Amino acid sequence: LDSDQAVKMALAHSAEGILHFGEVTTSAIDAAADKILRGTEEHLAVVRGDTAAVRKVVEETPGQIGELAEVSTMRILQGGEITKAALEQIWSSEYEKHSRKVLKGTDDSMQKVVDQVAALSSKVDERLAAFEKAEQDTKHVLKTTDHIRTQQAATQESLAEIVATLGRAIEEKFENVKALRSELGQQLTEAELRRANLAVELKQKVDSAFKPLCVVNFKVDNTILQDNTMGLGFRRTMQMDNMKANDPVAPWDSIVSGQRVNDDWVQVAREKFLPIRIRGCPVLVGAEGGSRPVSRGKTPRS
């Protein structure tokens, strides 16, 4: 019995405790729910207030935006007009400066071109004058050359006629001497024979004096002589030893022009002679180029 009573009493006490805890829990839950509801209502009130404020802002914003847009547009237009006017003024000023600079540069360039053209024209005039003078000088030289050639031809004809006349006179004299000798026979003296011989020699000298001379080209040849020198030395006379160390030479294998005086010497200029042979070896041989006649008494120029 005691145990059952004790159990029953414990159960009764536990049930009371459970009920009390349930009541306490229910009260706490109700208080928390009320607090939550109150917080929710307050939050909703704030949200409603914010929504109203937002709606007000949204309702007022288009007007403000329009006003701001209108003001901004006016300011932009005013700034554009000011900027346009400033740009036009700057453009006009810079364009005027640039135009003046370009025009000044163009004027300077044109003046420089005009000066260059004038200088070129002056040079062209000088060249033309020089060409005209050269042409006149050339015509004068050609005219003088033709005159000289005419006089030379006439002189050669006169010389030929004189030589022929002298030849005939000498031959007549010689024939007269021969006839006189045949007539006189032994009576012809030695003096007359000498005079006759002198007449013959005179004829030969005259023929030799008026015989035309020619300028001939010669090659300075070292093929046979094989001399270890730079060339053939010029002599001042027709003597092999008449030369000095600093006298000029005709290089080997070069071509010289001169008059052949005799079988041993060629004269190329005044007081300039070359031997035809050295130690029996020929050192001047005929070269291509032909020959040309010259007047007696003149020497060719080297």
Side-chain angles (χ1 to χ4, degrees), residues 22-279:
E23 291 176 355
V24 172
T25 303
T26 303
S27 299
I29 290 170
D30 292 337
D34 292 337
K35 187 175 180 180
I36 290 170
L37 289 174
R38 286 196 301 272
T40 302
E41 289 177 354
E42 292 176 356
H43 182 68
L44 288 173
V46 173
V47 170
R48 290 190 186 96
D50 293 340
T51 303
V54 169
R55 286 179 180 175
K56 183 178 180 182
V57 170
V58 170
E59 291 175 355
E60 293 177 353
T61 298
Q64 293 177 355
I65 291 174
E67 292 177 358
L68 289 173
E70 185 176 359
V71 172
S72 299
T73 303
M74 293 297 296
R75 289 180 179 178
I76 290 171
L77 292 175
Q78 291 176 357
E81 294 293 333
I82 294 172
T83 303
K84 181 180 179 183
L87 288 175
E88 289 179 351
Q89 183 177 2
I90 292 171
W91 170 257
S92 177
S93 176
E94 292 297 326
Y95 179 77
E96 184 176 1
K97 291 180 181 178
H98 184 67
S99 299
R100 290 178 181 176
K101 186 176 181 180
V102 170
L103 290 175
K104 186 177 183 300
T106 304
D107 293 338
D108 295 340
S109 299
M110 289 297 295
Q111 186 61 39
K112 186 180 292 184
V113 170
V114 169
D115 294 339
Q116 291 178 352
V117 170
L120 184 60
S121 299
S122 178
K123 291 182 179 179
V124 169
D125 293 338
E126 292 177 358
R127 292 289 180 87
L128 289 175
F131 286 152
E132 291 177 356
K133 187 177 183 302
E135 184 178 3
Q136 292 177 359
D137 293 341
T138 303
K139 290 180 179 179
H140 179 69
V141 169
L142 291 175
K143 185 177 179 181
T144 304
T145 303
D146 293 337
H147 181 66
I148 291 173
R149 287 177 179 174
T150 303
Q151 289 184 346
Q152 185 178 5
T155 302
Q156 289 179 352
E157 292 177 358
S158 299
L159 288 174
E161 185 177 354
I162 292 171
V163 170
T165 303
L166 287 174
R168 287 194 299 269
I170 292 171
E171 288 178 357
E172 290 177 358
K173 182 66 175 176
F174 185 67
E175 292 296 332
N176 292 333
V177 170
K178 287 174 64 178
L180 183 61
R181 181 179 179 183
S182 63
E183 291 178 0
L184 297 178
Q186 297 298 328
Q187 297 179 1
L188 191 63
T189 64
E190 294 296 329
E192 289 173 342
L193 288 175
R194 284 195 298 270
R195 283 197 298 268
N197 292 330
L198 287 175
V200 175
E201 292 178 1
L202 178 61
K203 181 178 182 301
Q204 292 176 352
K205 288 182 179 181
V206 170
D207 290 339
S208 176
F210 289 96
K211 184 179 179 180
L213 298 176
C214 292
V215 175
V216 182
N217 292 331
F218 295 92
K219 180 181 179 181
V220 184
D221 187 47
N222 193 30
T223 304
I224 299 176
L225 182 62
Q226 294 294 314
D227 194 13
N228 189 19
T229 56
M230 296 178 60
L232 183 60
F234 289 101
R235 274 67 173 177
R236 300 188 179 185
T237 62
M238 289 187 291
Q239 299 293 330
M240 291 295 293
D241 57 351
N242 192 0
M243 59 183 297
K244 294 183 179 180
N246 58 352
D247 284 347
V249 298
W252 297 118
D253 296 328
S254 64
I255 303 298
V256 296
S257 299
Q259 298 175 2
R260 184 161 182 166
V261 181
N262 51 36
D263 293 338
D264 298 322
W265 292 94
V266 171
Q267 184 176 5
V268 298
R270 186 172 179 270
E271 294 184 355
K272 291 179 72 174
F273 296 86
L274 289 175
I276 296 177
R277 298 176 186 81
I278 293 181
R279 296 191 294 275

